[in-house]
Amino acid sequence: MSKAPVSLCMIVKNDPAIEECLKYVRDWIEEIVIVDTGSNDGKTQDIARKYADKFEVFTACNDPETGLIDDFSMARQRSFDLATQPFAMWADSDDLITGLENLQSVLNSYDPEWLKTNPVCLLFPYEYSYNELGKCNCVHYRERLTSKKDAMHWQNPVHEVFLPNDSAHLSLITREEITWKHRRQFSPKQMESGRNLRILRKYFAKVGETDARQMYYLGLECCNSGLIDEAIKHLSRYIELSGWDDERAMAALKLIDIYMGMGQYDNALIWAFKTVELKHNWCEGYFALAKIFYFKASTPGPNEMLFWEKVSYFTKLGFT
């Protein structure tokens, strides 16, 4: 069985469950590159060395005073810098990748001579979260594989993203043959409490509103930590500044949840209508409106019947 000319680039720290991922990908990938950001569990580094073609302990991404990670993009970039194959790909240590038997045929669909002047970045489905029954309830596409790693770079200290360089002429192409499954919620790995909020606050203090995308994640982390006023501030400001309607709608949906949780249904309505304005072909905005009017209708008053009619109306819209 021939292996695809791909470098799989990974970063790890104290994750003994990494072996499940590595054992599978080893059969399909020519090179595995692992950057360890400071494991001290006595297991992770041994497992990584067992499967990796290139292994390095890299701690420049950590806070020198605490040893805690400060910049995931720096570690990701280091893993890509070490890659030597014609194609570079990435995954997290707790990802389960399915369909790698199709990897070689995916690469074969692009002429090598054409790729020399037309580099590509391939996006694949990413099953991001699952409900209590184990069913995927959020899937989106992530940039996963590139034919020219030097034309791209990693950006943002957390919730990092792999972006084309400003001068790069690189095609973003969506494929379906391989799927990444995010298994973090099923992993026994111990996470640092408040890690993302710590990193984001430090970053935001440095860059302010110049990075709208990180403002979105800062808002989410504030919400997760019960810092509701701060979450509302960052999420609503993100919607003003961002140019990506998908994520703006996601921010609006989070604001709906926040206001509904406080029983402020009129404020929730504002963001529900904003969601529909941003993404009229998403069902979530219509179902949010139906839910809000359900709670408003549950309080007896002169508009009770009108609110029930709106529950029915927006529910039907959501289903269509």
Side-chain angles (χ1 to χ4, degrees), residues 30-44:
E30 188 65 42
E31 180 178 64
I32 295 178
V33 178
I34 299 179
V35 165
D36 187 292
T37 62
S39 293
N40 55 13
D41 61 354
K43 298 178 181 179
T44 300

Side-chain angles (χ1 to χ4, degrees), residues 71-311:
D71 193 335
F72 282 96
S73 63
M74 184 185 296
R76 296 250 187 234
Q77 190 62 56
R78 180 58 183 164
S79 70
F80 271 70
D81 291 342
L82 295 172
T84 63
Q85 291 296 304
F87 296 88
M89 187 174 87
W90 70 280
D92 285 324
S93 60
D94 51 12
D95 283 339
L96 178 65
I97 310 174
T98 61
L100 275 180
E101 67 275 11
N102 301 314
L103 180 57
Q104 187 63 67
S105 63
V106 169
L107 302 183
N108 289 343
S109 64
Y110 301 100
D111 179 71
E113 291 300 314
W114 180 82
L115 285 174
K116 289 180 181 179
T117 54
N118 300 275
V120 298
C121 176
L122 305 186
L123 292 82
F124 291 95
Y126 183 33
E127 294 186 0
Y128 186 71
S129 64
Y130 303 84
N131 64 18
E132 64 278 2
L133 300 177
K135 300 292 185 180
C136 178
N137 56 17
C138 179
V139 59
H140 57 95
Y141 290 79
R142 287 297 308 267
E143 62 295 338
R144 288 291 181 179
L145 186 150
T146 182
S147 65
K148 192 173 182 181
K149 66 184 181 72
D150 294 338
M152 302 186 70
H153 67 281
W154 283 95
Q155 183 173 302
N156 295 139
V158 69
H159 296 294
E160 61 277 16
V161 62
F162 196 37
L163 296 173
N165 299 336
D166 289 341
S167 59
H169 299 285
L170 188 139
S171 300
L172 300 177
I173 301 174
T174 299
R175 303 289 300 234
E176 303 287 346
E177 294 92 337
I178 306 170
T179 299
W180 273 249
K181 300 175 182 286
H182 187 56
R183 309 297 289 176
R184 178 71 49 82
Q185 69 190 81
F186 306 114
S187 172
K189 179 179 178 179
Q190 295 297 310
M191 302 290 292
E192 174 203 338
S193 178
R195 181 197 68 189
N196 289 355
L197 182 58
R198 170 182 60 79
I199 295 173
L200 286 166
R201 276 185 160 167
K202 184 175 181 179
Y203 179 72
F204 187 71
K206 181 170 64 176
V207 305
E209 293 186 348
T210 60
D211 191 337
R213 181 174 182 269
Q214 292 293 278
M215 194 180 304
Y216 168 65
Y217 288 109
L218 178 56
L220 294 183
E221 295 297 339
C222 287
C223 184
N224 293 339
S225 299
L227 305 170
I228 301 304
D229 289 343
E230 192 175 347
I232 292 172
K233 172 187 172 184
H234 292 308
L235 289 171
S236 56
R237 183 64 175 149
Y238 165 78
I239 293 172
E240 292 180 19
L241 296 176
S242 175
W244 185 18
D245 284 349
D246 284 20
E247 205 165 70
R248 292 173 75 201
M250 294 292 286
L253 288 168
K254 177 57 69 173
L255 285 166
I256 295 167
D257 289 342
I258 290 172
Y259 281 117
M260 286 189 67
M262 297 190 294
Q264 297 183 20
Y265 301 121
D266 289 339
N267 283 330
L269 274 177
I270 293 171
W271 294 109
F273 282 116
K274 184 66 175 180
T275 303
V276 171
E277 175 190 329
L278 291 168
K279 302 300 295 184
H280 71 276
N281 58 341
W282 284 17
C283 65
E284 287 87 350
Y286 301 105
F287 287 141
L289 285 165
K291 185 184 292 186
I292 295 166
F293 281 113
Y294 170 86
F295 285 108
K296 288 175 73 69
S298 298
T299 302
N303 293 319
E304 182 180 352
M305 186 53 64
L306 173 62
F307 291 156
W308 282 120
E309 290 173 356
K310 290 185 176 183
V311 172

